[in-house]
Amino acid sequence: MKRRNLLQGMAAASAFPFAGMAVKKAGADESGNSEPVIVEGLFAGAIRDSHFEGMKEGGVHCGVAGGPNDMDSFTALLNFFDQHQDELVLAKTVADIRQARNEGKYSNVFCWQAAGFSLGDAFNSPLGSSGTALRGFQEIGLRIVGLCYNVTNAFGAGCLEPEVPLTRAGRRLVQEIHKLNMVLDVGGHTGEQTSLDAIALAPDIPVVCTHTNVASIANNYRCTSDRVIDAIASTGGVIGLTAVNDFHVRNRGETGPVRHADIEDHVDQYDYIKKRVGVEHVGMGTDFVDGMAIPYGGINKDIIPDDMVDEPWRFINGFESIAQFPNLVDALRRRGWTQAEIDMAMGENWLRVYHQVWGA
């Protein structure tokens, strides 16, 4: 594939910055940048001190996390950036991310894991109006938008209902996401048919799955099928892999304790994507929660099945926080991944898609 050959050529001279060490590439990219950027394609919740400290310890330069869905939450996030203004940047462009890296700072990109939390039925008004606040959120920094979160909403179905298609409201939302040059997030939390329908609306625009795992390895509800993996790759997009333990080892129908997977199990997932669709389509999307309470217990047990994820959540042994990021790099090297391949999977693939969709 021509795109694949081009990307491999661009990455051939790169080097990896290990745990915060500034190591220059042998050759700069087309913008004259000489520092590789490590991108965590999604972590759970919003940017917070615990995760930010882990990014710094692990040597990760940019993290994607939940963005505001109202003015109160936006104000709280702005206050966080004010408190860390000397070392953290709200990134709205790839240039912002790269500039922060080159200046020894870190960056955060806003995303929504599911549009229904913020837009509700805005694209599905009984009176026919499709006016929404999406444009306003894009203006304040929202750059990546998912459709559904496990269950059905106005736009389509979550991963627990994989056969349900994209709705009329969902089609309008996908079109608006593309019109605003935002990255569309499918797969993972969003069901298979809804994801395939969304991709089919604009097959030449790169889409991503920010955080999932491979259904062919563990047939978990939250893992993504080969059909969706192939479809995302066909757009030039990226599949981000989580470090959630159960999504590596728990299959549908399997309840109760499961084994604690290790870093080698995790790298199996990277190898799978690389071999199936190419290294340019895999990225890191840890879904780390840093001790946050994930509301899958209690009344949500009526919705979330016992064979999807156990509580308390566990992450991969050896990669249980972003501070342990160097362990992932070491494991990839043991598998024979080249430095160029590591640079691509650990950040440059995400930045390529962001640049293609967001523009300059």
Side-chain angles (χ1 to χ4, degrees):
M1 186 168 67
K2 292 182 179 179
R3 182 192 293 112
R4 182 173 304 171
N5 294 336
L6 174 62
L7 291 166
Q8 290 173 339
M10 289 171 61
S14 62
F16 184 80
F18 185 77
M21 295 173 58
V23 181
K24 299 230 179 233
K25 289 183 181 179
D29 66 15
E30 69 277 12
S31 302
N33 297 290
S34 57
E35 299 285 2
V37 180
I38 311 308
V39 179
E40 186 179 11
L42 183 131
F43 60 90
I47 185 71
R48 54 198 177 273
D49 283 315
S50 60
H51 198 87
F52 186 36
E53 290 303 313
M55 287 173 61
K56 291 188 284 186
E57 183 177 346
V60 174
H61 309 115
C62 175
V64 177
N69 53 26
D70 55 56
M71 290 307 296
D72 288 343
S73 58
F74 182 46
T75 300
L77 282 166
L78 290 180
N79 289 339
F80 186 90
F81 282 96
D82 286 345
Q83 294 164 11
H84 299 276
Q85 58 185 313
D86 293 334
E87 54 183 351
L88 182 64
V89 172
L90 169 58
K92 299 181 181 181
T93 67
V94 172
D96 290 341
I97 297 171
R98 290 199 184 277
Q99 182 176 347
R101 167 71 177 110
N102 291 339
E103 293 177 355
K105 297 180 180 180
Y106 302 85
S107 57
N108 176 220
V109 175
F110 288 166
C111 75
W112 282 347
Q113 291 199 39
F117 294 150
S118 301
L119 298 180
D121 291 335
F123 280 86
N124 202 36
S125 168
L127 298 179
S129 171
S130 61
T132 76
L134 190 61
R135 173 70 177 86
F137 284 110
Q138 190 268 352
E139 185 68 26
I140 63 176
L142 182 64
R143 290 294 180 269
I144 302 169
V145 180
L147 297 180
C148 307
Y149 196 93
N150 297 342
V151 297
T152 296
N153 62 18
F155 310 119
C159 60
L160 297 177
E161 298 165 287
E163 298 87 11
V164 177
L166 190 72
T167 66
R168 289 172 58 85
R171 290 196 295 273
R172 291 195 293 273
L173 174 59
V174 169
Q175 291 164 354
E176 186 72 4
I177 289 169
H178 290 323
K179 178 182 176 182
L180 292 173
N181 296 325
M182 303 164 87
V183 173
L184 175 63
D185 184 3
V186 298
H189 286 294
T190 298
E192 181 182 71
Q193 191 59 54
T194 293
S195 296
L196 293 171
D197 292 345
I199 292 169
L201 286 179
D204 295 327
I205 299 176
V207 302
V208 304
C209 183
T210 52
H211 59 304
T212 190
N213 292 96
V214 177
S216 289
I217 294 177
N219 188 28
N220 192 293
Y221 296 94
R222 270 284 279 111
C223 296
T224 297
S225 70
D226 286 346
R227 290 180 68 200
V228 176
I229 289 170
D230 293 348
I232 291 172
S234 73
T235 72
V238 175
I239 298 98
L241 295 171
T242 87
V244 178
N245 184 76
D246 284 28
F247 303 161
H248 291 68
V249 295
R250 186 183 295 278
N251 292 288
R252 298 186 193 186
E254 187 174 6
T255 60
V258 293
R259 70 180 178 88
H260 198 177
D262 60 25
I263 196 74
E264 299 302 324
D265 294 304
H266 188 47
V267 174
D268 286 344
Q269 307 253 333
Y270 281 88
D271 275 343
Y272 185 92
I273 301 293
K274 175 185 171 183
K275 291 173 183 177
R276 184 169 184 88
V277 294
V279 69
E280 64 269 33
H281 301 297
V282 64
M284 174 174 59
T286 65
D287 208 15
F288 284 136
V289 302
D290 302 324
M292 293 188 338
I294 302 299
Y296 278 1
I299 62 170
N300 286 307
K301 282 294 185 183
D302 294 335
I303 299 172
I304 304 301
D306 292 334
D307 55 346
M308 183 168 124
V309 64
D310 199 10
E311 294 183 344
W313 275 37
R314 288 193 297 176
F315 288 86
I316 293 302
N317 187 21
F319 193 35
E320 296 173 278
S321 80
I322 197 60
Q324 295 180 307
F325 170 69
N327 292 346
L328 173 57
V329 176
D330 287 344
L332 289 169
R333 286 173 175 156
R334 288 195 298 271
R335 289 291 178 91
W337 283 49
T338 68
Q339 199 59 63
E341 291 172 332
I342 291 172
D343 282 348
M344 293 170 73
M346 297 297 101
E348 293 299 324
N349 288 340
W350 290 121
L351 295 188
R352 169 181 54 81
V353 170
Y354 299 165
H355 182 81
Q356 287 179 267
V357 177
W358 299 346

